[in-house]
Amino acid sequence: MEGMFHMEKRKLSLPAWIFIGMAAGIVVGLISIALAKGNPDSAFLATFTTDWLKPIGTIYINLLKFLVVPVVLFSIADGVVSLKDLKRVGSVGLRTFVYYMCTTALAVVIGLILANIALGLNLFPTLETSGLAYEAKESPSVMQVIVNIFPDNLFKPMVNADMLPVIVIAVLLGAGILAAGDEGVGVGNAINKISKVVMEVMMMIIKITPIGVFCLMADVVSVNGPKIVGTLLLVILVAYIGYILHVVIVYGLSVKFLSKMSPLKFFKELAPAMICAFTTTSS
């Protein structure tokens, strides 16, 4: 009988803790503003969030940035090796590139449409821009963009976290392992193991995401005040409407017509990875 009435305690998911951290950060930021106004002579209260909380959030961001290159490098190389056929690498790579360019173009169109609608409805207040100057840089040609994708140095793209050249390096590394045949098997196994180790380190860092979000949000609210944060939330809302439309329409139709799979089933299976990417802004 006791077992019938026993209810297992459910632990909160990571996304739930992240939203809790965000809400707590907003509250602490507002409290910090109130205390600083009540004690205008206190330098400690005036800079508390910037001096003590923001550095913790910066450490969290630095750890994420630190892992971006190894995650991309080893996971893509491992994925290429898993294809087990060098011909498939070229075929999949070409189709992936074409698909990426098409979906990127559609994302730009959706973003421009939503931005113009939001501006037309005056959702965003006009900000003071006196004294500010901006000089637009000349856009590189299409061929120059393509040339820049292919690195002339092994380590420079990794140091600069330039993702497209890093992806090219990863694909070439995986292709080289496949081309080496039996002699490349050991290297491929090593990359597979390194990829798993790197992902374990990533999960360790992701677990402290609520703390990082709390510290960063507290400083943003404390420094900028609730008014600018409210404006920022409007911008974020419009952005996420665009994200949702892109995922549902573009990706949903792609899954339906290119892979002949149910979009609902696809997104259900992909949910853990999507939640991880969303909550850590890994892109």
PDB file of all heavy atoms in Angstrom, residues 227-247:
ATOM      1  N   LYS A 227      13.781  49.566 -18.093  1.00  0.00           N
ATOM      2  CA  LYS A 227      13.208  50.097 -19.333  1.00  0.00           C
ATOM      3  C   LYS A 227      13.903  49.528 -20.555  1.00  0.00           C
ATOM      4  O   LYS A 227      13.263  49.045 -21.492  1.00  0.00           O
ATOM      5  CB  LYS A 227      13.301  51.620 -19.346  1.00  0.00           C
ATOM      6  CG  LYS A 227      12.644  52.254 -20.572  1.00  0.00           C
ATOM      7  CD  LYS A 227      12.701  53.769 -20.506  1.00  0.00           C
ATOM      8  CE  LYS A 227      12.031  54.375 -21.747  1.00  0.00           C
ATOM      9  NZ  LYS A 227      12.072  55.864 -21.718  1.00  0.00           N
ATOM     10  N   ILE A 228      15.231  49.565 -20.556  1.00  0.00           N
ATOM     11  CA  ILE A 228      15.974  49.058 -21.709  1.00  0.00           C
ATOM     12  C   ILE A 228      15.830  47.551 -21.822  1.00  0.00           C
ATOM     13  O   ILE A 228      15.819  46.993 -22.919  1.00  0.00           O
ATOM     14  CB  ILE A 228      17.468  49.467 -21.615  1.00  0.00           C
ATOM     15  CG1 ILE A 228      18.172  49.199 -22.949  1.00  0.00           C
ATOM     16  CG2 ILE A 228      18.163  48.711 -20.508  1.00  0.00           C
ATOM     17  CD1 ILE A 228      17.698  50.069 -24.064  1.00  0.00           C
ATOM     18  N   VAL A 229      15.691  46.869 -20.670  1.00  0.00           N
ATOM     19  CA  VAL A 229      15.492  45.421 -20.697  1.00  0.00           C
ATOM     20  C   VAL A 229      14.147  45.082 -21.325  1.00  0.00           C
ATOM     21  O   VAL A 229      14.016  44.126 -22.091  1.00  0.00           O
ATOM     22  CB  VAL A 229      15.602  44.825 -19.276  1.00  0.00           C
ATOM     23  CG1 VAL A 229      15.222  43.351 -19.279  1.00  0.00           C
ATOM     24  CG2 VAL A 229      17.011  45.009 -18.741  1.00  0.00           C
ATOM     25  N   GLY A 230      13.119  45.891 -21.007  1.00  0.00           N
ATOM     26  CA  GLY A 230      11.813  45.687 -21.613  1.00  0.00           C
ATOM     27  C   GLY A 230      11.860  45.856 -23.126  1.00  0.00           C
ATOM     28  O   GLY A 230      11.249  45.090 -23.880  1.00  0.00           O
ATOM     29  N   THR A 231      12.609  46.874 -23.576  1.00  0.00           N
ATOM     30  CA  THR A 231      12.792  47.076 -25.017  1.00  0.00           C
ATOM     31  C   THR A 231      13.519  45.889 -25.631  1.00  0.00           C
ATOM     32  O   THR A 231      13.172  45.420 -26.719  1.00  0.00           O
ATOM     33  CB  THR A 231      13.601  48.363 -25.266  1.00  0.00           C
ATOM     34  OG1 THR A 231      12.924  49.476 -24.667  1.00  0.00           O
ATOM     35  CG2 THR A 231      13.756  48.615 -26.756  1.00  0.00           C
ATOM     36  N   LEU A 232      14.539  45.411 -24.927  1.00  0.00           N
ATOM     37  CA  LEU A 232      15.295  44.264 -25.419  1.00  0.00           C
ATOM     38  C   LEU A 232      14.404  43.031 -25.526  1.00  0.00           C
ATOM     39  O   LEU A 232      14.523  42.248 -26.473  1.00  0.00           O
ATOM     40  CB  LEU A 232      16.467  43.986 -24.478  1.00  0.00           C
ATOM     41  CG  LEU A 232      17.360  42.788 -24.826  1.00  0.00           C
ATOM     42  CD1 LEU A 232      18.018  43.010 -26.179  1.00  0.00           C
ATOM     43  CD2 LEU A 232      18.425  42.581 -23.755  1.00  0.00           C
ATOM     44  N   LEU A 233      13.492  42.857 -24.585  1.00  0.00           N
ATOM     45  CA  LEU A 233      12.587  41.710 -24.625  1.00  0.00           C
ATOM     46  C   LEU A 233      11.689  41.756 -25.860  1.00  0.00           C
ATOM     47  O   LEU A 233      11.353  40.720 -26.429  1.00  0.00           O
ATOM     48  CB  LEU A 233      11.736  41.661 -23.349  1.00  0.00           C
ATOM     49  CG  LEU A 233      12.477  41.263 -22.073  1.00  0.00           C
ATOM     50  CD1 LEU A 233      11.541  41.339 -20.867  1.00  0.00           C
ATOM     51  CD2 LEU A 233      13.049  39.857 -22.196  1.00  0.00           C
ATOM     52  N   LEU A 234      11.296  42.969 -26.276  1.00  0.00           N
ATOM     53  CA  LEU A 234      10.496  43.094 -27.492  1.00  0.00           C
ATOM     54  C   LEU A 234      11.291  42.637 -28.712  1.00  0.00           C
ATOM     55  O   LEU A 234      10.776  41.939 -29.592  1.00  0.00           O
ATOM     56  CB  LEU A 234      10.043  44.550 -27.676  1.00  0.00           C
ATOM     57  CG  LEU A 234       8.934  45.048 -26.750  1.00  0.00           C
ATOM     58  CD1 LEU A 234       8.705  46.536 -26.960  1.00  0.00           C
ATOM     59  CD2 LEU A 234       7.643  44.275 -26.995  1.00  0.00           C
ATOM     60  N   VAL A 235      12.563  43.045 -28.753  1.00  0.00           N
ATOM     61  CA  VAL A 235      13.422  42.631 -29.862  1.00  0.00           C
ATOM     62  C   VAL A 235      13.587  41.103 -29.858  1.00  0.00           C
ATOM     63  O   VAL A 235      13.505  40.447 -30.909  1.00  0.00           O
ATOM     64  CB  VAL A 235      14.799  43.325 -29.760  1.00  0.00           C
ATOM     65  CG1 VAL A 235      15.735  42.817 -30.862  1.00  0.00           C
ATOM     66  CG2 VAL A 235      14.645  44.833 -29.849  1.00  0.00           C
ATOM     67  N   ILE A 236      13.810  40.549 -28.661  1.00  0.00           N
ATOM     68  CA  ILE A 236      13.981  39.102 -28.543  1.00  0.00           C
ATOM     69  C   ILE A 236      12.704  38.377 -28.955  1.00  0.00           C
ATOM     70  O   ILE A 236      12.751  37.336 -29.624  1.00  0.00           O
ATOM     71  CB  ILE A 236      14.373  38.727 -27.094  1.00  0.00           C
ATOM     72  CG1 ILE A 236      15.782  39.261 -26.786  1.00  0.00           C
ATOM     73  CG2 ILE A 236      14.330  37.222 -26.890  1.00  0.00           C
ATOM     74  CD1 ILE A 236      16.197  39.071 -25.347  1.00  0.00           C
ATOM     75  N   LEU A 237      11.548  38.929 -28.588  1.00  0.00           N
ATOM     76  CA  LEU A 237      10.274  38.315 -28.943  1.00  0.00           C
ATOM     77  C   LEU A 237      10.110  38.226 -30.457  1.00  0.00           C
ATOM     78  O   LEU A 237       9.740  37.168 -30.995  1.00  0.00           O
ATOM     79  CB  LEU A 237       9.115  39.123 -28.346  1.00  0.00           C
ATOM     80  CG  LEU A 237       7.706  38.643 -28.703  1.00  0.00           C
ATOM     81  CD1 LEU A 237       7.473  37.234 -28.190  1.00  0.00           C
ATOM     82  CD2 LEU A 237       6.655  39.604 -28.141  1.00  0.00           C
ATOM     83  N   VAL A 238      10.411  39.321 -31.142  1.00  0.00           N
ATOM     84  CA  VAL A 238      10.308  39.318 -32.609  1.00  0.00           C
ATOM     85  C   VAL A 238      11.298  38.317 -33.205  1.00  0.00           C
ATOM     86  O   VAL A 238      10.979  37.581 -34.142  1.00  0.00           O
ATOM     87  CB  VAL A 238      10.570  40.734 -33.166  1.00  0.00           C
ATOM     88  CG1 VAL A 238      10.641  40.704 -34.697  1.00  0.00           C
ATOM     89  CG2 VAL A 238       9.484  41.692 -32.715  1.00  0.00           C
ATOM     90  N   ALA A 239      12.503  38.276 -32.636  1.00  0.00           N
ATOM     91  CA  ALA A 239      13.519  37.344 -33.125  1.00  0.00           C
ATOM     92  C   ALA A 239      13.056  35.902 -32.971  1.00  0.00           C
ATOM     93  O   ALA A 239      13.180  35.090 -33.908  1.00  0.00           O
ATOM     94  CB  ALA A 239      14.832  37.558 -32.375  1.00  0.00           C
ATOM     95  N   TYR A 240      12.475  35.571 -31.817  1.00  0.00           N
ATOM     96  CA  TYR A 240      12.059  34.196 -31.582  1.00  0.00           C
ATOM     97  C   TYR A 240      10.835  33.814 -32.415  1.00  0.00           C
ATOM     98  O   TYR A 240      10.659  32.645 -32.754  1.00  0.00           O
ATOM     99  CB  TYR A 240      11.810  33.949 -30.100  1.00  0.00           C
ATOM    100  CG  TYR A 240      13.089  33.662 -29.358  1.00  0.00           C
ATOM    101  CD1 TYR A 240      13.595  34.556 -28.425  1.00  0.00           C
ATOM    102  CD2 TYR A 240      13.824  32.513 -29.632  1.00  0.00           C
ATOM    103  CE1 TYR A 240      14.792  34.304 -27.766  1.00  0.00           C
ATOM    104  CE2 TYR A 240      15.014  32.256 -28.984  1.00  0.00           C
ATOM    105  CZ  TYR A 240      15.489  33.150 -28.050  1.00  0.00           C
ATOM    106  OH  TYR A 240      16.666  32.898 -27.419  1.00  0.00           O
ATOM    107  N   ILE A 241      10.004  34.790 -32.745  1.00  0.00           N
ATOM    108  CA  ILE A 241       8.914  34.508 -33.681  1.00  0.00           C
ATOM    109  C   ILE A 241       9.511  34.080 -35.022  1.00  0.00           C
ATOM    110  O   ILE A 241       9.039  33.124 -35.665  1.00  0.00           O
ATOM    111  CB  ILE A 241       8.010  35.743 -33.858  1.00  0.00           C
ATOM    112  CG1 ILE A 241       7.215  36.002 -32.563  1.00  0.00           C
ATOM    113  CG2 ILE A 241       7.048  35.547 -35.035  1.00  0.00           C
ATOM    114  CD1 ILE A 241       6.399  37.279 -32.599  1.00  0.00           C
ATOM    115  N   GLY A 242      10.566  34.774 -35.428  1.00  0.00           N
ATOM    116  CA  GLY A 242      11.248  34.407 -36.658  1.00  0.00           C
ATOM    117  C   GLY A 242      11.859  33.025 -36.580  1.00  0.00           C
ATOM    118  O   GLY A 242      11.769  32.227 -37.530  1.00  0.00           O
ATOM    119  N   TYR A 243      12.489  32.716 -35.433  1.00  0.00           N
ATOM    120  CA  TYR A 243      13.095  31.390 -35.257  1.00  0.00           C
ATOM    121  C   TYR A 243      12.045  30.289 -35.364  1.00  0.00           C
ATOM    122  O   TYR A 243      12.262  29.259 -36.021  1.00  0.00           O
ATOM    123  CB  TYR A 243      13.777  31.281 -33.894  1.00  0.00           C
ATOM    124  CG  TYR A 243      14.865  32.287 -33.646  1.00  0.00           C
ATOM    125  CD1 TYR A 243      15.196  32.675 -32.356  1.00  0.00           C
ATOM    126  CD2 TYR A 243      15.567  32.866 -34.703  1.00  0.00           C
ATOM    127  CE1 TYR A 243      16.196  33.595 -32.118  1.00  0.00           C
ATOM    128  CE2 TYR A 243      16.568  33.790 -34.474  1.00  0.00           C
ATOM    129  CZ  TYR A 243      16.884  34.157 -33.175  1.00  0.00           C
ATOM    130  OH  TYR A 243      17.861  35.072 -32.951  1.00  0.00           O
ATOM    131  N   ILE A 244      10.922  30.510 -34.706  1.00  0.00           N
ATOM    132  CA  ILE A 244       9.863  29.492 -34.695  1.00  0.00           C
ATOM    133  C   ILE A 244       9.296  29.289 -36.098  1.00  0.00           C
ATOM    134  O   ILE A 244       9.080  28.158 -36.547  1.00  0.00           O
ATOM    135  CB  ILE A 244       8.750  29.886 -33.703  1.00  0.00           C
ATOM    136  CG1 ILE A 244       9.290  29.840 -32.267  1.00  0.00           C
ATOM    137  CG2 ILE A 244       7.541  28.972 -33.846  1.00  0.00           C
ATOM    138  CD1 ILE A 244       8.343  30.421 -31.241  1.00  0.00           C
ATOM    139  N   LEU A 245       9.071  30.405 -36.817  1.00  0.00           N
ATOM    140  CA  LEU A 245       8.573  30.287 -38.188  1.00  0.00           C
ATOM    141  C   LEU A 245       9.564  29.530 -39.066  1.00  0.00           C
ATOM    142  O   LEU A 245       9.175  28.688 -39.885  1.00  0.00           O
ATOM    143  CB  LEU A 245       8.328  31.686 -38.771  1.00  0.00           C
ATOM    144  CG  LEU A 245       7.123  32.457 -38.217  1.00  0.00           C
ATOM    145  CD1 LEU A 245       7.080  33.857 -38.809  1.00  0.00           C
ATOM    146  CD2 LEU A 245       5.825  31.723 -38.519  1.00  0.00           C
ATOM    147  N   HIS A 246      10.851  29.821 -38.892  1.00  0.00           N
ATOM    148  CA  HIS A 246      11.874  29.156 -39.699  1.00  0.00           C
ATOM    149  C   HIS A 246      11.915  27.656 -39.403  1.00  0.00           C
ATOM    150  O   HIS A 246      11.992  26.840 -40.328  1.00  0.00           O
ATOM    151  CB  HIS A 246      13.231  29.784 -39.410  1.00  0.00           C
ATOM    152  CG  HIS A 246      14.328  29.290 -40.309  1.00  0.00           C
ATOM    153  ND1 HIS A 246      14.363  29.575 -41.656  1.00  0.00           N
ATOM    154  CD2 HIS A 246      15.409  28.514 -40.065  1.00  0.00           C
ATOM    155  CE1 HIS A 246      15.431  29.008 -42.203  1.00  0.00           C
ATOM    156  NE2 HIS A 246      16.078  28.349 -41.258  1.00  0.00           N
ATOM    157  N   VAL A 247      11.852  27.313 -38.123  1.00  0.00           N
ATOM    158  CA  VAL A 247      11.899  25.901 -37.740  1.00  0.00           C
ATOM    159  C   VAL A 247      10.657  25.164 -38.247  1.00  0.00           C
ATOM    160  O   VAL A 247      10.765  24.087 -38.860  1.00  0.00           O
ATOM    161  CB  VAL A 247      12.012  25.759 -36.208  1.00  0.00           C
ATOM    162  CG1 VAL A 247      11.773  24.320 -35.787  1.00  0.00           C
ATOM    163  CG2 VAL A 247      13.390  26.215 -35.737  1.00  0.00           C
TER     164      VAL A 247
END
